[in-house]
Amino acid sequence: MKERIGVYICHCGGNISDYVDVEEIGKMLKTDDGVVISKDVMFACADSNQKDMISDIKEYKLDAIVVASCSPKLHLHTFKNVAERAGLNPTNYVQVNIREQCSWPHSDKPREASVKAAGLIRAGIKRVAYSESLDNIEINVKKAVLVVGAGVSGMKAAIDLARLGNEVYLIETDYFVGGHITQTENLFTTGQNGKEIVSRLYAEIKSYNNITLFTGTSVEKVSGSLGNFAIDIRIKPRYINGKADLQAVQNAMNDCTVLVNDDFNFGFTKRKAIYKNYPEALPDVTVVNAEALKNEKEFLAKHASCLDLTQQDEILSLTAGSVLVTTGFDSYQPKEGEYGYKTFSNVVTLPELNRLIELNPDKLIFNNKPVKKIAFIYCVGNRQTKGENKYCSRQCCSSAINSSLQLADKYKGINAYHLFRDIRTYGKQELMYEKSSKQGDIYIRFDEKEPPVVEQNEKTLNIKVKDYLTSKKELEIEADLVVLVTGMVAREDSKQISEKFKIPIGTDKFFNEIHPKLKPVETVIKGVYIGGSCQGPKNISESVQSSLSAASKINALLKGGTVSLDPVIARVNNDACVWCGKCAEVCEYTAIKEIESGDKHIAAVNKAICTGCGICAPVCPTNAIEIAQFTDNEIESMIDGFMEKIDLKVREKESESTEEVSGVKMKEYPQLWKNILETMNGNKLTIPEISEKLEVDKDIITYHVMTMHKYNVVVTEGMDKKELYYYYKLKN
Amino acid sequence: MAKVNPEFATEIKKYGAHDFNACFNCGNCTATCSLSDNNSSFPRKLVRYSVLGLESEIEASIDPWLCYYCGECSTTCPREASPGELMMSLRRWLTAKYDWTGLSGLMYKYLPFTIFAFLATALAVILFAFSKSFEVDTIMHFGHQFEMWAIIIVFTAILIPNLARMWWFVILKPKIKVKFLTYVKGMQELFTHMFTQKRTLGCDDSQSRWLIHLIIVLGYLSLLFTTVVLDWFGTNSLFIILLGYAESIVLFTLTFIFVRGRIKKNKELNKFSQPSDWLFVIWLFLMAFSAFLVRIFIDLDFIETNLWLYLFHLTVLVQWAVLIVPFGKWTHFLYRSFAMYFEKIKQPA
Ligand code: SF4
Ligand code: SF4
Ligand code: SF4
Ligand code: SF4
């Protein structure tokens, strides 16, 4: 029990005191149990008052304080800091909100507002009397990070984390690193080949011996928490004998005659069943398509020294202090028949076109016919006002236009049509749009309500579209190739990943951060961060920016070897707990585990995982689990305090009078406004004049007069020509 | 349903248009154009049609003729798409389209062809003089005859059929119904425009341009009348002689001012002068100036010994009459007036 409590009640410069009788309440509470001092102050948050509070705490040896003022959202930390500076544990501080909860909403009933405020403050005093001094929880963390996904975001983050001295486990589901960007020969706006970027990053990764890369690997199981995640990973075999020499593998590859669709090229080409995505793909280790080769007994026997189809998945356990998820996106896959996709052979998606461009060095040939006229249809699978994907993918406009520029550069005599809804080439990408339209690409604007229709002619595709830039004129376009500019969607496996790490996903199925502006790479799971396009559509630069910012967040977190966490979490009374398991059942974060304690089983809370949400406390039949700072004692005493009779001598304040100055109802205004109006008394005055007369700082008068002007209480009338100040007067 | 045709852009660029593909349909050009009225989206609509290559829409449109190239649109276009220059090029393209001989198109598109045609006519004049043993009287007599016949032939064989073609593209092909009486009533519009270019008065910048233009047209027509009908070079009437002097002086002075303007490129419309624009003013200047000199030489009795001067004048005249008038920029004067006329009669009364 705290017995030397200090209470501070704030006027908020009239915001509170104009309605709530803070002085009387202050006097009344002086005699409450445990209260040593109780005062009303003009601005509790002002530096001068903070200093007074500190000296009060020291002088009167206060062991707890209550400030009744505005919302804790505004000043909780201000006063916690005051406590700390005075040598008091910040958990012995309680803030009571009598502005947003009393003076503002009940300005029409000042007396009731005062009574309510008094009750709330008393509840606060009772609660603080039961407050405990709690220290932050310190947790040892392992300086190791698991980065899930070795696309450009993951690779960049891994490199930075490793450079800063962390152990990094980088895992990638594919057998080769790099992700989507390896499939594009020319990336906007630098024109670089994605493969080159990946090769460079890979070389850098290899130069750090604290990065361990696992390819063909996925997350199997996650347990543990911030500081000590235990992660099982599953590594698929490559079916190549680890000890086989390179020449033998090369021979087997040359010898292989079984061909399968080349997924890397979207099936436009075939590849051998012993393959790499592309010749320079990294890591430089071939993979065997076991499914395709399993019946080739003779071949397998011939190359038995290097091929081994009996290999099995391997499970490996890792421990990491933190996790960075950079799993990226999937390209939207058009439905069959959407703009003729899959119904007509010459309809492809933008990523497919990019493969075609790379596969055709001199002339663009598709389905054995030269391609001259190309029509791009934008926003496919995106910005569906009625459909599932309502968002815009940000990068597809730029990407499509970049491909169009590349087509013009690489091949002769290409005509490009762009059927768009809006062109969103923000920032420097605008230059590409300008270049493209100047080079003669034709832009036609359609509306979602009247999308273009793709039909097959004898020789070509025929698109009908209403051009909104020519007052909906119906146009017909002949095209050899229709390119669907598809946007980004969340990965197909995003749900599984989210379940494993407990990362929340949005309705758009992308992973959710805590706050898009203030905590953009943090998730609600402590120690788990997200970066890149697994969080939502981003272009490469934006992806890298976000993953690097996550990397620096993680480094800051792990740097000291320990992290300090808020002590407001659940705790179990071992004697009372009978291990019924109810709390563990409701805990969404799986913070509660069953443990053995002496001769019985009880619940134990993992301090690193528990968020203090409190859902477990009420379900416990033996009342064995409670939340620090929200103990039964504290809550019940608050209720008692609030129920106590308020014996408040509320004086009949002027604020209730109907006195009027020059026709304005005075009771609605704060005191300073009334003073200003009285000073004006029907005359016009400038701000410096008012400030002088009232002896109040000019800045404060300026702020208030401007506000009064905004609410039409005063109006301007002419100007003091010499001093260049407006005259203000009361509005009639 | 209109077919999008990207080739049109390539074609129209040969007529001098450039960068109009860059248009992003902001509509600034329409907003600034002082000749655009509330519902015409002029000139943006034609920029859009050209980008899309909607040839039959453009062919049926008389909008290009309604533009007098003040250049305001090009100055304000945020994409530097030069809509004004596009309008100019569309006029050249339309001229070529109306011309049944196809020579207009060749002259606009291929400078070498134009040069060749001019040299060939010059050669023809010299050969003719040679065949007449360089006899001044015969040659001058022929010159006079030539002028009369040239006017008749150019009109009947070329200009009238071309106007008929314009009529076909603008009224008949798009199946616009016009009553006979409307045709007659609209005549007044036709003549007002032909002689005064009234529409330019709507342009913000061009009160003086309009006046100079009017004087040049009147000067040109009356000089033509004075030489052809009143036989300026043959007459003894002092009045006619002085009249001819006055007309030619006015004409070559004003055209000289025009040429200087083009050289200085001080106005938007002069920024991208094409060979055809140069030819028109220079030849007009040369014609007036050489006529003036010829008459002086006659009055001073020099002409017998200086036949070269008359031959020079004759060459300019022939080139003007058989090349510039039927196939060059001269026709704009005609088509513009008819465009106003068609515009007038197209509107339902
Ligand atoms: S970036 Fe462009 S194409 Fe992609 S969804 Fe947005 S507006 Fe559509
Ligand atoms: S307070 Fe919430 S997070 Fe913590 S153990 Fe209880 S239910 Fe789980
Ligand atoms: S001002 Fe330029 S960009 Fe704008 S509509 Fe006109 S031509 Fe197009
Ligand atoms: S040049 Fe002048 S008249 Fe012609 S379209 Fe442009 S603004 Fe209008």
Side-chain angles (χ1 to χ4, degrees), chain A residues 526 568-572 583-593 604-607 609-619 625-627:
Chain A
K526 288 176 216 156
V568 185
I569 56 162
R571 55 192 179 197
V572 178
C583 53
E585 238 168 70
V586 293
C587 178
E588 292 207 23
Y589 302 90
T590 53
I592 301 175
K593 287 267 142 37
V605 176
N606 183 331
K607 293 180 180 171
I609 306 180
C610 174
T611 62
C613 72
I615 210 165
C616 50
V619 301
I625 193 161
E626 64 178 5
I627 312 296

mmCIF file of all heavy atoms in Angstrom, chain A residues 526 568-572 583-593 604-607 609-619 625-627, ligand 2:
data_model
loop_
_atom_site.group_PDB
_atom_site.id
_atom_site.type_symbol
_atom_site.label_atom_id
_atom_site.label_comp_id
_atom_site.label_asym_id
_atom_site.label_seq_id
_atom_site.Cartn_x
_atom_site.Cartn_y
_atom_site.Cartn_z
ATOM 1 N N LYS A 526 6.322 -9.726 -31.248
ATOM 2 C CA LYS A 526 7.614 -9.142 -30.900
ATOM 3 C C LYS A 526 8.738 -9.946 -31.534
ATOM 4 O O LYS A 526 8.769 -11.162 -31.441
ATOM 5 C CB LYS A 526 7.794 -9.147 -29.378
ATOM 6 C CG LYS A 526 6.921 -8.133 -28.679
ATOM 7 C CD LYS A 526 7.081 -8.266 -27.172
ATOM 8 C CE LYS A 526 5.763 -8.017 -26.486
ATOM 9 N NZ LYS A 526 5.701 -8.645 -25.164
ATOM 10 N N VAL A 568 3.901 -4.953 -18.038
ATOM 11 C CA VAL A 568 2.455 -5.213 -17.944
ATOM 12 C C VAL A 568 2.115 -6.510 -18.674
ATOM 13 O O VAL A 568 1.733 -6.506 -19.841
ATOM 14 C CB VAL A 568 1.656 -4.038 -18.539
ATOM 15 C CG1 VAL A 568 0.168 -4.254 -18.338
ATOM 16 C CG2 VAL A 568 2.088 -2.748 -17.892
ATOM 17 N N ILE A 569 2.281 -7.641 -17.966
ATOM 18 C CA ILE A 569 1.986 -8.935 -18.581
ATOM 19 C C ILE A 569 1.289 -9.822 -17.552
ATOM 20 O O ILE A 569 1.135 -9.443 -16.392
ATOM 21 C CB ILE A 569 3.268 -9.650 -19.071
ATOM 22 C CG1 ILE A 569 4.246 -9.797 -17.893
ATOM 23 C CG2 ILE A 569 3.906 -8.917 -20.221
ATOM 24 C CD1 ILE A 569 5.301 -10.833 -18.157
ATOM 25 N N ALA A 570 0.884 -10.988 -18.024
ATOM 26 C CA ALA A 570 0.168 -11.895 -17.126
ATOM 27 C C ALA A 570 1.144 -12.595 -16.184
ATOM 28 O O ALA A 570 2.307 -12.805 -16.519
ATOM 29 C CB ALA A 570 -0.566 -12.938 -17.959
ATOM 30 N N ARG A 571 0.678 -12.940 -14.979
ATOM 31 C CA ARG A 571 1.522 -13.751 -14.099
ATOM 32 C C ARG A 571 0.634 -14.740 -13.352
ATOM 33 O O ARG A 571 -0.545 -14.464 -13.086
ATOM 34 C CB ARG A 571 2.333 -12.876 -13.153
ATOM 35 C CG ARG A 571 1.471 -11.945 -12.349
ATOM 36 C CD ARG A 571 2.322 -10.922 -11.654
ATOM 37 N NE ARG A 571 1.465 -10.028 -10.899
ATOM 38 C CZ ARG A 571 1.835 -8.850 -10.450
ATOM 39 N NH1 ARG A 571 3.055 -8.397 -10.691
ATOM 40 N NH2 ARG A 571 1.019 -8.117 -9.767
ATOM 41 N N VAL A 572 1.224 -15.873 -13.039
ATOM 42 C CA VAL A 572 0.434 -16.980 -12.482
ATOM 43 C C VAL A 572 0.748 -17.132 -10.993
ATOM 44 O O VAL A 572 1.909 -17.075 -10.595
ATOM 45 C CB VAL A 572 0.768 -18.284 -13.228
ATOM 46 C CG1 VAL A 572 0.002 -19.459 -12.630
ATOM 47 C CG2 VAL A 572 0.461 -18.132 -14.709
ATOM 48 N N CYS A 583 -6.674 -20.890 -19.653
ATOM 49 C CA CYS A 583 -5.962 -19.675 -20.076
ATOM 50 C C CYS A 583 -5.177 -19.944 -21.352
ATOM 51 O O CYS A 583 -5.181 -19.134 -22.283
ATOM 52 C CB CYS A 583 -5.044 -19.179 -18.968
ATOM 53 S SG CYS A 583 -3.931 -20.444 -18.345
ATOM 54 N N ALA A 584 -4.509 -21.091 -21.412
ATOM 55 C CA ALA A 584 -3.717 -21.417 -22.589
ATOM 56 C C ALA A 584 -4.610 -21.500 -23.827
ATOM 57 O O ALA A 584 -4.214 -21.103 -24.926
ATOM 58 C CB ALA A 584 -2.990 -22.734 -22.378
ATOM 59 N N GLU A 585 -5.831 -21.984 -23.602
ATOM 60 C CA GLU A 585 -6.754 -22.121 -24.719
ATOM 61 C C GLU A 585 -7.118 -20.772 -25.349
ATOM 62 O O GLU A 585 -7.198 -20.639 -26.555
ATOM 63 C CB GLU A 585 -8.046 -22.743 -24.188
ATOM 64 C CG GLU A 585 -8.444 -24.027 -24.853
ATOM 65 C CD GLU A 585 -9.553 -24.662 -24.026
ATOM 66 O OE1 GLU A 585 -10.668 -24.099 -24.038
ATOM 67 O OE2 GLU A 585 -9.273 -25.678 -23.355
ATOM 68 N N VAL A 586 -7.340 -19.763 -24.467
ATOM 69 C CA VAL A 586 -7.793 -18.473 -25.018
ATOM 70 C C VAL A 586 -6.654 -17.584 -25.488
ATOM 71 O O VAL A 586 -6.870 -16.653 -26.249
ATOM 72 C CB VAL A 586 -8.651 -17.685 -24.004
ATOM 73 C CG1 VAL A 586 -9.966 -18.395 -23.738
ATOM 74 C CG2 VAL A 586 -7.880 -17.418 -22.712
ATOM 75 N N CYS A 587 -5.451 -17.863 -25.048
ATOM 76 C CA CYS A 587 -4.347 -16.958 -25.408
ATOM 77 C C CYS A 587 -4.033 -17.053 -26.900
ATOM 78 O O CYS A 587 -3.597 -18.091 -27.384
ATOM 79 C CB CYS A 587 -3.086 -17.283 -24.604
ATOM 80 S SG CYS A 587 -1.714 -16.220 -25.091
ATOM 81 N N GLU A 588 -4.253 -15.963 -27.580
ATOM 82 C CA GLU A 588 -4.054 -15.976 -29.033
ATOM 83 C C GLU A 588 -2.588 -16.007 -29.413
ATOM 84 O O GLU A 588 -2.238 -16.255 -30.552
ATOM 85 C CB GLU A 588 -4.674 -14.725 -29.644
ATOM 86 C CG GLU A 588 -6.175 -14.732 -29.550
ATOM 87 C CD GLU A 588 -6.785 -13.903 -30.671
ATOM 88 O OE1 GLU A 588 -6.111 -13.718 -31.702
ATOM 89 O OE2 GLU A 588 -7.923 -13.458 -30.477
ATOM 90 N N TYR A 589 -1.727 -15.666 -28.475
ATOM 91 C CA TYR A 589 -0.311 -15.573 -28.804
ATOM 92 C C TYR A 589 0.458 -16.810 -28.360
ATOM 93 O O TYR A 589 1.680 -16.821 -28.427
ATOM 94 C CB TYR A 589 0.281 -14.311 -28.151
ATOM 95 C CG TYR A 589 -0.437 -13.054 -28.586
ATOM 96 C CD1 TYR A 589 -1.530 -12.585 -27.884
ATOM 97 C CD2 TYR A 589 -0.022 -12.381 -29.721
ATOM 98 C CE1 TYR A 589 -2.198 -11.446 -28.291
ATOM 99 C CE2 TYR A 589 -0.685 -11.240 -30.141
ATOM 100 C CZ TYR A 589 -1.783 -10.775 -29.426
ATOM 101 O OH TYR A 589 -2.427 -9.659 -29.839
ATOM 102 N N THR A 590 -0.262 -17.807 -27.868
ATOM 103 C CA THR A 590 0.344 -19.026 -27.302
ATOM 104 C C THR A 590 1.471 -18.700 -26.320
ATOM 105 O O THR A 590 2.567 -19.257 -26.407
ATOM 106 C CB THR A 590 0.867 -19.997 -28.388
ATOM 107 O OG1 THR A 590 1.728 -19.263 -29.255
ATOM 108 C CG2 THR A 590 -0.253 -20.607 -29.177
ATOM 109 N N ALA A 591 1.162 -17.806 -25.396
ATOM 110 C CA ALA A 591 2.175 -17.419 -24.420
ATOM 111 C C ALA A 591 2.171 -18.359 -23.216
ATOM 112 O O ALA A 591 3.104 -18.333 -22.410
ATOM 113 C CB ALA A 591 1.933 -15.981 -23.966
ATOM 114 N N ILE A 592 1.114 -19.139 -23.069
ATOM 115 C CA ILE A 592 1.010 -19.958 -21.859
ATOM 116 C C ILE A 592 1.337 -21.422 -22.161
ATOM 117 O O ILE A 592 0.862 -21.984 -23.143
ATOM 118 C CB ILE A 592 -0.412 -19.845 -21.263
ATOM 119 C CG1 ILE A 592 -0.688 -18.368 -20.931
ATOM 120 C CG2 ILE A 592 -0.556 -20.728 -20.020
ATOM 121 C CD1 ILE A 592 -2.078 -18.096 -20.445
ATOM 122 N N LYS A 593 2.197 -21.966 -21.341
ATOM 123 C CA LYS A 593 2.577 -23.377 -21.498
ATOM 124 C C LYS A 593 2.345 -24.081 -20.164
ATOM 125 O O LYS A 593 2.388 -23.466 -19.095
ATOM 126 C CB LYS A 593 4.065 -23.477 -21.860
ATOM 127 C CG LYS A 593 4.382 -23.057 -23.252
ATOM 128 C CD LYS A 593 4.374 -24.242 -24.190
ATOM 129 C CE LYS A 593 3.789 -23.921 -25.555
ATOM 130 N NZ LYS A 593 4.063 -22.622 -26.133
ATOM 131 N N ALA A 604 2.500 -21.593 -17.107
ATOM 132 C CA ALA A 604 3.623 -20.656 -17.036
ATOM 133 C C ALA A 604 3.510 -19.697 -18.210
ATOM 134 O O ALA A 604 3.181 -20.099 -19.324
ATOM 135 C CB ALA A 604 4.936 -21.413 -17.100
ATOM 136 N N VAL A 605 3.768 -18.403 -17.961
ATOM 137 C CA VAL A 605 3.638 -17.396 -19.013
ATOM 138 C C VAL A 605 5.018 -17.086 -19.581
ATOM 139 O O VAL A 605 5.964 -16.839 -18.839
ATOM 140 C CB VAL A 605 3.020 -16.109 -18.436
ATOM 141 C CG1 VAL A 605 2.981 -15.016 -19.497
ATOM 142 C CG2 VAL A 605 1.646 -16.383 -17.869
ATOM 143 N N ASN A 606 5.118 -17.163 -20.890
ATOM 144 C CA ASN A 606 6.360 -16.759 -21.537
ATOM 145 C C ASN A 606 6.384 -15.235 -21.605
ATOM 146 O O ASN A 606 5.621 -14.613 -22.332
ATOM 147 C CB ASN A 606 6.423 -17.358 -22.937
ATOM 148 C CG ASN A 606 7.731 -17.023 -23.631
ATOM 149 O OD1 ASN A 606 8.340 -15.981 -23.367
ATOM 150 N ND2 ASN A 606 8.163 -17.911 -24.497
ATOM 151 N N LYS A 607 7.288 -14.638 -20.823
ATOM 152 C CA LYS A 607 7.312 -13.188 -20.695
ATOM 153 C C LYS A 607 7.601 -12.483 -22.015
ATOM 154 O O LYS A 607 7.176 -11.352 -22.241
ATOM 155 C CB LYS A 607 8.378 -12.779 -19.676
ATOM 156 C CG LYS A 607 8.031 -13.223 -18.283
ATOM 157 C CD LYS A 607 9.122 -12.783 -17.339
ATOM 158 C CE LYS A 607 8.759 -13.242 -15.926
ATOM 159 N NZ LYS A 607 9.859 -13.029 -15.006
ATOM 160 N N ILE A 609 6.592 -13.417 -24.904
ATOM 161 C CA ILE A 609 5.492 -13.465 -25.863
ATOM 162 C C ILE A 609 4.276 -12.703 -25.365
ATOM 163 O O ILE A 609 3.580 -12.041 -26.139
ATOM 164 C CB ILE A 609 5.079 -14.921 -26.164
ATOM 165 C CG1 ILE A 609 6.289 -15.738 -26.605
ATOM 166 C CG2 ILE A 609 4.015 -14.956 -27.245
ATOM 167 C CD1 ILE A 609 5.954 -17.172 -26.921
ATOM 168 N N CYS A 610 3.987 -12.788 -24.080
ATOM 169 C CA CYS A 610 2.766 -12.214 -23.537
ATOM 170 C C CYS A 610 2.678 -10.728 -23.872
ATOM 171 O O CYS A 610 3.634 -9.969 -23.717
ATOM 172 C CB CYS A 610 2.725 -12.404 -22.031
ATOM 173 S SG CYS A 610 1.326 -11.567 -21.279
ATOM 174 N N THR A 611 1.520 -10.312 -24.375
ATOM 175 C CA THR A 611 1.338 -8.898 -24.705
ATOM 176 C C THR A 611 0.536 -8.185 -23.631
ATOM 177 O O THR A 611 0.244 -7.003 -23.763
ATOM 178 C CB THR A 611 0.586 -8.748 -26.036
ATOM 179 O OG1 THR A 611 -0.706 -9.341 -25.863
ATOM 180 C CG2 THR A 611 1.311 -9.417 -27.175
ATOM 181 N N GLY A 612 0.119 -8.892 -22.609
ATOM 182 C CA GLY A 612 -0.673 -8.264 -21.561
ATOM 183 C C GLY A 612 -2.081 -7.944 -22.012
ATOM 184 O O GLY A 612 -2.722 -7.041 -21.473
ATOM 185 N N CYS A 613 -2.575 -8.693 -22.994
ATOM 186 C CA CYS A 613 -3.895 -8.380 -23.527
ATOM 187 C C CYS A 613 -4.983 -8.628 -22.476
ATOM 188 O O CYS A 613 -6.019 -7.999 -22.493
ATOM 189 C CB CYS A 613 -4.178 -9.196 -24.773
ATOM 190 S SG CYS A 613 -4.491 -10.934 -24.431
ATOM 191 N N GLY A 614 -4.735 -9.565 -21.555
ATOM 192 C CA GLY A 614 -5.645 -9.734 -20.427
ATOM 193 C C GLY A 614 -6.776 -10.712 -20.620
ATOM 194 O O GLY A 614 -7.593 -10.914 -19.725
ATOM 195 N N ILE A 615 -6.800 -11.346 -21.761
ATOM 196 C CA ILE A 615 -7.956 -12.207 -22.026
ATOM 197 C C ILE A 615 -7.951 -13.454 -21.132
ATOM 198 O O ILE A 615 -8.987 -14.057 -20.860
ATOM 199 C CB ILE A 615 -7.998 -12.568 -23.531
ATOM 200 C CG1 ILE A 615 -9.455 -12.773 -23.961
ATOM 201 C CG2 ILE A 615 -7.195 -13.784 -23.855
ATOM 202 C CD1 ILE A 615 -9.625 -12.775 -25.434
ATOM 203 N N CYS A 616 -6.779 -13.812 -20.623
ATOM 204 C CA CYS A 616 -6.677 -15.038 -19.832
ATOM 205 C C CYS A 616 -7.217 -14.857 -18.404
ATOM 206 O O CYS A 616 -7.761 -15.803 -17.817
ATOM 207 C CB CYS A 616 -5.225 -15.505 -19.766
ATOM 208 S SG CYS A 616 -4.090 -14.182 -19.268
ATOM 209 N N ALA A 617 -7.078 -13.648 -17.871
ATOM 210 C CA ALA A 617 -7.408 -13.443 -16.458
ATOM 211 C C ALA A 617 -8.842 -13.821 -16.099
ATOM 212 O O ALA A 617 -9.050 -14.572 -15.137
ATOM 213 C CB ALA A 617 -7.103 -12.007 -16.055
ATOM 214 N N PRO A 618 -9.829 -13.353 -16.832
ATOM 215 C CA PRO A 618 -11.201 -13.663 -16.400
ATOM 216 C C PRO A 618 -11.602 -15.118 -16.591
ATOM 217 O O PRO A 618 -12.592 -15.544 -15.973
ATOM 218 C CB PRO A 618 -12.054 -12.741 -17.273
ATOM 219 C CG PRO A 618 -11.220 -12.364 -18.419
ATOM 220 C CD PRO A 618 -9.812 -12.418 -17.967
ATOM 221 N N VAL A 619 -10.888 -15.889 -17.408
ATOM 222 C CA VAL A 619 -11.357 -17.269 -17.633
ATOM 223 C C VAL A 619 -10.859 -18.242 -16.562
ATOM 224 O O VAL A 619 -11.331 -19.367 -16.477
ATOM 225 C CB VAL A 619 -10.968 -17.811 -19.032
ATOM 226 C CG1 VAL A 619 -11.550 -16.943 -20.133
ATOM 227 C CG2 VAL A 619 -9.458 -17.946 -19.170
ATOM 228 N N ILE A 625 -4.565 -16.354 -12.355
ATOM 229 C CA ILE A 625 -3.750 -15.598 -13.313
ATOM 230 C C ILE A 625 -4.235 -14.160 -13.322
ATOM 231 O O ILE A 625 -5.430 -13.872 -13.273
ATOM 232 C CB ILE A 625 -3.799 -16.269 -14.714
ATOM 233 C CG1 ILE A 625 -2.726 -15.701 -15.646
ATOM 234 C CG2 ILE A 625 -5.160 -16.160 -15.368
ATOM 235 C CD1 ILE A 625 -2.424 -16.610 -16.828
ATOM 236 N N GLU A 626 -3.293 -13.229 -13.283
ATOM 237 C CA GLU A 626 -3.676 -11.810 -13.284
ATOM 238 C C GLU A 626 -2.661 -11.021 -14.102
ATOM 239 O O GLU A 626 -1.576 -11.506 -14.431
ATOM 240 C CB GLU A 626 -3.740 -11.277 -11.851
ATOM 241 C CG GLU A 626 -2.384 -11.304 -11.157
ATOM 242 C CD GLU A 626 -2.428 -10.725 -9.734
ATOM 243 O OE1 GLU A 626 -3.545 -10.402 -9.266
ATOM 244 O OE2 GLU A 626 -1.364 -10.592 -9.123
ATOM 245 N N ILE A 627 -3.040 -9.776 -14.395
ATOM 246 C CA ILE A 627 -2.167 -8.940 -15.224
ATOM 247 C C ILE A 627 -1.558 -7.866 -14.320
ATOM 248 O O ILE A 627 -2.280 -7.191 -13.582
ATOM 249 C CB ILE A 627 -2.963 -8.239 -16.345
ATOM 250 C CG1 ILE A 627 -3.873 -9.216 -17.083
ATOM 251 C CG2 ILE A 627 -2.023 -7.528 -17.321
ATOM 252 C CD1 ILE A 627 -3.148 -10.310 -17.821
HETATM 253 S S1 SF4 C 2 -2.319 -11.583 -21.176
HETATM 254 FE FE1 SF4 C 2 -2.941 -12.126 -23.284
HETATM 255 S S2 SF4 C 2 -1.009 -12.637 -24.251
HETATM 256 FE FE2 SF4 C 2 -0.588 -12.650 -22.080
HETATM 257 S S3 SF4 C 2 -0.885 -14.765 -21.458
HETATM 258 FE FE3 SF4 C 2 -2.829 -13.746 -21.145
HETATM 259 S S4 SF4 C 2 -3.984 -14.101 -23.007
HETATM 260 FE FE4 SF4 C 2 -1.854 -14.567 -23.476
#
